Amino acid sequence: MIEIKRLRLFVAARLDPKTYLGLHLTIGLLVLGLALWAFGSLLQAVLDNQTLVRFDIATSVWVHARVTPGGLRFADIVSEVASPDIMAILGVVVAVVLWGQARRTACLAWGAAFIGGTAVQHMVKAAVHRSRPDYAAPFLSDKSFSFPSGHAMASIVGMGMLLYMLGRFWHPGRVWRLGSIVAGIAVVLLVGGSRIYLGVHYPSDVLGGYAAGTAWMAVCVSGLRVAEHQRARAAGLSSV
């Protein structure tokens, strides 16, 4: 009975939205765990070079046979939304706003999301060493590897962190909040789809980018919450 009671108290504490080790961190760790599991499963399937890889190749061939010049131009424009230049501009603008409003911890978490996310995807690309699809050359400016998709990862980190910061610090109304969430999801999906349509990534590359981006974003958001609690706690102790 004592052990059951302790378990109930532990679970209740983990689901308490009023504590920093409660609901918020629990959700963050759950999202992190699921994203890492998805990424690991995709990575294993890619390295096995069997069913998923055959699906990737077949999908790439099927899509390439149906592309049009207009579709390629549109996909190229959409793809640029998550390009390094655009993501850098977004990162700098929001960082300046956060710093100007004295939200130092949030600014550091924001910077970590962008800089760390870029570092993570480059390291994974180099480690996996997956070649690009056969149709990639016309739309590539460098010779980077394919898994995971950097654009897909950047889009989910950028849009996810932006939506989090907007909801957390600027509190838009319900209509604006819903509209921004729908718009953010649309951008992420369109960017991922554009990379497949352009022939620069396989579907599993895009899904891997989404999974890696979600995991990294969960780390940054959870770290921000813990750091804010520690700062508030330290401030409270120093005022006693």
Side-chain angles (χ1 to χ4, degrees), residues 110-135:
W110 173 266
F114 280 75
I115 297 172
T118 300
V120 167
Q121 61 108 343
H122 281 300
M123 287 189 292
V124 176
K125 280 178 181 287
V128 178
H129 220 76
R130 189 185 198 186
S131 299
R132 296 276 187 169
D134 295 336
Y135 317 106

Side-chain angles (χ1 to χ4, degrees), residues 60-78:
S60 182
V61 171
W62 186 89
V63 171
H64 184 72
R66 290 160 175 79
V67 298
T68 64
L72 289 173
R73 285 193 296 271
F74 175 75
D76 197 25
I77 293 171
V78 170

